[in-house]
Amino acid sequence: FASFESDPRIIRLFGKAKIINKQDVPTPLLSRFPNHLVDDPGYRAVIYVKIQSCYTSCGYSIPFYEFKGQREVLKKWADGKTKREMDMYRVKKNSWSIDGLESLGHDQEVSKGKKVLPYDSQPGYTFGYLDGEALPTDAKPNGMHRVKGPSTAFDSTDQTKFLKILIIFAVFFLGIAVGMRINRASNGMTMPM
């Protein structure tokens, strides 16, 4: 947490967390939240943290910000959508984390008892759809569909390109280091390696 008004301060909380999906939040816990948060279309889960330690730091570099109000974009977008449409959106967009771990989309009411399958619609993103339903229209053609689930944000082609670029940079910087050593040696200077 950071203070954007008043005195500068940063607070860091450390602990063990668990995610409680929207439909599984116990009523006593849910009653602690104001209705406008519980009724918000962006509410998907509660992150319950058992705090083990808390640290503060100065926050001197944090700028001042002024809160001007809530954005209405999400509410306007969700207005008129059915519960199933909202659940299917979460299955599509929230089934895997960036690092390929299963996420909230697998636990929507619409996905209970069904397998959520991954597909790629654009590089770096893995979306989900329900087994037995049509593959979404934005799925990549030509076999990019992953049936085993995402194991990484890169496919094998991306990994090969990344390794080639990494090797080029390594050779480039090695060349600079060798060039500097030769230059210093020719000037009678020594340079430790």
Side-chain angles (χ1 to χ4, degrees):
F1 298 95
S3 172
F4 297 116
E5 300 173 343
S6 183
D7 296 333
R9 181 70 61 204
I10 297 172
I11 299 175
R12 293 179 177 89
L13 306 175
F14 299 89
K16 299 277 185 185
K18 69 177 181 175
I19 297 174
I20 306 172
N21 290 312
K22 179 179 183 173
Q23 65 271 11
D24 300 325
V25 177
T27 305
L29 180 58
L30 194 61
S31 67
R32 295 180 182 182
F33 296 96
N35 287 338
H36 75 276
L37 291 179
V38 174
D39 296 335
D40 191 280
Y43 165 55
R44 296 172 285 193
V46 170
I47 300 175
Y48 184 87
V49 182
K50 184 175 181 182
I51 297 172
Q52 296 169 330
S53 60
C54 174
Y55 296 96
T56 61
S57 59
C58 67
Y60 291 165
S61 66
I62 303 295
F64 286 105
Y65 287 99
E66 182 182 344
F67 177 73
K68 293 189 176 188
Q70 297 289 344
R71 297 182 189 265
E72 297 296 320
V73 178
L74 179 63
K75 289 180 182 176
K76 288 177 183 174
W77 173 83
D79 190 36
K81 292 198 176 356
T82 66
K83 173 149 179 30
R84 178 174 169 71
E85 288 172 322
M86 292 298 289
D87 277 0
M88 290 303 290
Y89 177 84
R90 291 181 183 122
V91 166
K92 177 180 179 175
K93 299 283 188 163
N94 301 136
S95 287
W96 282 276
S97 66
I98 292 171
D99 52 358
L101 301 174
E102 287 189 7
S103 189
L104 297 172
H106 290 265
D107 294 321
Q108 300 303 305
E109 288 181 31
V110 72
S111 60
K112 294 289 185 196
K114 296 182 180 179
K115 186 172 183 169
V116 178
L117 299 175
Y119 74 94
D120 296 330
S121 81
Q122 52 188 322
Y125 293 90
T126 301
F127 293 152
Y129 74 101
L130 295 177
D131 192 14
E133 298 198 8
L135 187 63
T137 55
D138 63 344
K140 282 205 177 206
N142 66 8
M144 287 291 291
H145 171 109
R146 294 186 192 144
V147 292
K148 292 184 179 178
S151 59
T152 178
F154 295 120
D155 64 19
S156 59
T157 306
D158 290 335
Q159 289 175 356
T160 303
K161 289 178 188 174
F162 178 74
L163 286 174
K164 286 179 182 177
I165 292 170
L166 189 63
I167 290 169
I168 289 169
F169 274 113
V171 169
F172 175 75
F173 287 114
L174 180 63
I176 289 174
V178 169
M180 288 173 59
R181 184 165 177 83
I182 291 171
N183 186 31
R184 287 185 180 220
S186 66
N187 291 331
M189 303 167 74
T190 59
M191 183 173 149
M193 282 295 244

